[in-house]
């Protein structure tokens, strides 16, 4: 096999051991965004190319993040459960339901998805903050009305809502451990559609149980599929789903087109769009 196509949604983990066994492998293609299910140093050492369909589901993920923020802030899911269970307890929902207007929302990572989320949030009249390794174009900052926070730990206590939008790297793995979560405001809403392993899973579940995190939502877990005993399945006030935010029918059409285009180029010996490369021939 020369080409292996995988998706981040139900990933085939491409480990160093598997790469070693795949003697003819040249090209690992991710149908979607996020190639952290591949051992990238091992792929580079083997001289492989790793590429993904960059941008193919940005709009889908940013829209889903907005959805999860609203679902958690408005305490929507217990209201839905009441209807299913033939109950009618307005106070039981309303005592912890809030408007998004006027809240401080911070994104950790303001790349393609983070920036689009900020743009989508603008009409809600929130106070918008972002932390990233890089500052975005000042014109765009002004247009969105968002403030750069160079120090992540200084941004966290200001936020009513925190959204994670960084890739999973050696720097971001376990970035939100017990100590970092303790820096967040009590009653914070956290949305993470980036990668499950950016969080310390136990610390998130404990903070949801204590009420420090008032709601946690997202579609990414580690590992995937999430095992039956994953603590996020059982913690209170969560809005978790399988890995679905980036795989709407529209997104599927976009990344299927991207996969076809890259396969065409690969067989013709042509380069891919530069932003699609994660590792190029090692
Ligand atoms: N749930 C899904 O279906 C889904 C779909 C697409 C992408 N994703 C995840 O979302 C991630 C982001 O996607 P994107 O298209 O916005 O990527 P992107 O590369 O456009 O943006 C990532 C941003 O994170 C910043 N960043 C990286 N490391 C950082 C660090 N240590 N501290 C602060 N900022 C850091 C980068 O500077 C960049 O601005 C992907 O890597 C992927 O893991 C999930």
């Amino acid at each position: 096999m020369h080409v292996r196509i995988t998706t981040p949604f139900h990933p085939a983990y491409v480990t160093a051991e598997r790469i070693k066994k795949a003697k003819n492998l040249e090209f690992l293609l991710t149908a979607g965004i996020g190639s952290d299910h591949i051992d990238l140093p091992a792929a580079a050492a083997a001289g492989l190319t790793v590429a993904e369909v960059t941008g193919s589901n940005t709009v889908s993920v940013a829209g889903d993040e907005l959805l999860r923020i609203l679902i958690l802030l408005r305490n929507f899911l217990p209201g839905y459960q009441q209807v299913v269970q033939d109950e009618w307890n307005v106070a039981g929902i309303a005592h912890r339901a809030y408007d998004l207007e006027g809240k401080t929302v911070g994104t950790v990572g303001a790349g393609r998805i983070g920036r689009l989320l900020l743009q989508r949030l603008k009409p809600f009249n929130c106070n918008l903050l972002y932390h990233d390794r890089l500052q975005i174009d000042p014109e765009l900052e002004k247009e969105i009305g968002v403030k750069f926070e160079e120090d992540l730990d200084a941004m966290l206590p200001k936020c009513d809502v925190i959204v994670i939008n960084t890739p999973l790297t050696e720097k971001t793995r376990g970035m939100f451990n017990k100590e970092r979560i303790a820096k967040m405001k009590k009653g914070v809403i956290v949305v993470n559609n980036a990668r499950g392993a950016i969080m310390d899973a136990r610390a998130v579940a404990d903070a949801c149980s204590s009420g420090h995190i008032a709601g946690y939502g997202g579609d990414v877990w580690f590992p995937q599929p999430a095992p039956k005993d994953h603590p996020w399945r059982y913690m209170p006030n969560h809005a978790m789903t399988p890995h679905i935010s980036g795989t709407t029918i529209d997104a599927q059409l976009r990344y299927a087109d991207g996969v076809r285009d890259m396969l065409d180029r690969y067989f013709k010996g042509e380069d891919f769009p530069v932003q699609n490369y994660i590792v190029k021939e090692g």
Side-chain angles (χ1 to χ4, degrees):
M1 188 200 325
H2 295 94
V3 183
R4 170 115 193 155
I5 303 170
T6 56
T7 83
F9 310 109
H10 192 138
Y13 290 98
V14 185
T15 58
E17 201 185 357
R18 286 179 171 163
I19 289 173
K20 212 169 162 189
K21 280 187 192 154
K23 298 287 177 219
N24 296 323
L25 192 61
E26 291 178 358
F27 175 31
L28 288 161
L29 174 51
T30 302
I33 304 173
S35 298
D36 49 89
H37 58 288
I38 297 168
D39 186 326
L40 295 174
L48 307 184
T49 290
V50 181
E52 54 191 46
V53 194
T54 302
S56 56
N57 51 20
T58 304
V59 74
S60 324
V61 179
D64 180 283
E65 289 175 347
L66 184 54
L67 168 89
R68 283 180 215 251
I69 292 171
L70 286 167
I71 279 179
L72 288 164
L73 262 183
R74 304 298 294 258
N75 206 18
F76 177 85
L77 289 172
Y80 172 77
Q81 286 302 335
Q82 281 191 13
V83 171
V84 172
Q85 291 159 10
D86 197 17
E87 292 168 12
W88 191 272
N89 175 4
V90 175
I93 304 305
H95 78 107
R96 48 181 296 151
Y98 298 90
D99 291 327
L100 180 50
E101 179 162 283
K103 300 297 179 290
T104 297
V105 184
T107 174
V108 183
R112 293 173 183 84
I113 297 171
R115 282 198 302 262
L116 187 62
L117 174 69
L118 290 168
Q119 286 168 319
R120 296 286 192 257
L121 282 167
K122 192 180 174 199
F124 286 88
N125 297 326
C126 304
N127 176 30
L128 298 175
L129 305 176
Y130 77 98
H131 166 78
D132 199 295
R133 294 176 308 171
L134 310 164
Q135 193 159 356
I136 58 182
D137 172 22
E139 277 302 305
L140 185 60
E141 267 186 6
K142 207 164 133 197
E143 189 193 309
I144 302 172
V146 62
K147 191 170 160 287
F148 177 57
E149 294 274 344
E150 195 171 358
D151 180 356
L152 172 62
D153 292 329
M155 180 178 90
L156 295 179
K158 297 178 190 167
C159 297
D160 301 297
V161 177
I162 294 168
V163 189
I164 316 299
N165 279 308
T166 61
L168 175 64
T169 64
E170 282 322 303
K171 283 227 170 80
T172 63
R173 185 181 300 277
M175 189 182 192
F176 286 91
N177 54 16
K178 193 176 167 193
E179 291 70 36
R180 267 250 156 73
I181 291 171
K183 290 182 180 156
M184 297 178 183
K185 200 186 255 190
K186 186 168 179 340
V188 67
I189 298 290
V190 179
V191 169
N192 174 19
N193 281 355
R195 283 297 178 260
I198 295 172
M199 319 304 288
D200 175 330
R202 188 71 263 164
V204 168
D206 289 347
C208 283
S209 297
S210 75
H212 192 98
I213 294 181
Y216 181 92
D219 69 334
V220 285
W221 309 67
F222 184 78
Q224 290 186 179
K228 198 165 179 270
D229 62 352
H230 195 293
W232 294 356
R233 288 185 186 270
Y234 307 102
M235 64 191 184
N237 304 315
H238 77 73
M240 292 301 297
T241 63
H243 194 157
I244 52 166
S245 71
T247 188
T248 58
I249 295 290
D250 306 280
Q252 290 176 47
L253 291 170
R254 286 189 297 267
Y255 62 71
D257 277 351
V259 165
R260 191 173 40 234
D261 174 61
M262 281 200 276
L263 285 177
D264 280 349
R265 290 172 191 249
Y266 168 78
F267 288 117
K268 286 184 197 153
E270 292 174 5
D271 276 348
F272 309 137
V274 67
Q275 69 274 13
N276 292 15
Y277 284 106
I278 306 299
V279 174
K280 190 173 181 186
E281 293 164 18

